[in-house]
Amino acid sequence: DLFFSSHQIAEVERIADQICILHAGRLVLDSPVDDLRQSYRRIDLVFPSIPAKHDFRIEGIEDVRTRGHQMTVLASRNADAVVARAHDFQATSIDITPVALRDVFLQKVKGN
């Protein structure tokens, strides 16, 4: 085992097997890189009429942002539940993409 500390997130993502994120002296994430790559998703949604953010507060949802008829959901798990909920609210577009470690890092430290 080797401990490697860096603020160069792209470098860390390229060489690390396990990621720990410390913020303000607290451990805010400890996960295998492969798990992060498999589970974190950004889900971009378009609706005829935007639902309330709280309608998408599902376990594993890290962030919900709205702009006009668009909603972006950052999910650490339960992406399928978000898609099902989007169908319930008649989403006209659903786009699911993997999330880079940089985006996970920014989400984990922004609210702490």
Side-chain angles (χ1 to χ4, degrees), residues 2 20 22 25 32 37 39 45 87 98-99 107:
L2 174 70
C20 294
L22 298 171
R37 287 185 181 130
S39 60
L45 308 163
H87 285 296
V99 177
Q107 175 58 35

Side-chain angles (χ1 to χ4, degrees), residues 7-103:
H7 288 90
Q8 301 299 319
I9 297 172
E11 183 177 280
V12 171
E13 187 172 24
R14 186 172 48 81
I15 65 172
D17 294 323
Q18 181 84 16
I19 298 288
C20 294
I21 297 176
L22 298 171
H23 181 66
R26 291 183 334 119
L27 180 65
V28 295
L29 179 72
D30 181 0
S31 177
V33 173
D34 288 343
D35 287 358
L36 292 174
R37 287 185 181 130
Q38 299 248 345
S39 60
Y40 270 83
R41 295 289 180 261
R42 185 179 69 236
I43 306 157
D44 294 307
L45 308 163
V46 178
F47 296 95
S49 178
I50 199 78
K53 286 182 180 183
H54 72 266
D55 290 324
F56 283 82
R57 291 292 176 193
I58 300 166
E59 187 176 338
I61 303 311
E62 304 289 332
D63 191 34
V64 177
R65 295 178 186 216
T66 59
R67 184 174 182 205
H69 290 267
Q70 299 176 339
M71 176 180 283
T72 299
V73 177
L74 178 65
S76 60
R77 61 185 183 285
N78 285 335
D80 292 342
V82 173
V83 170
R85 183 75 46 91
H87 285 296
D88 291 344
F89 285 95
Q90 288 80 43
T92 57
S93 175
I94 300 171
D95 186 34
I96 304 169
T97 55
V99 177
L101 179 58
R102 179 183 182 281
D103 295 326

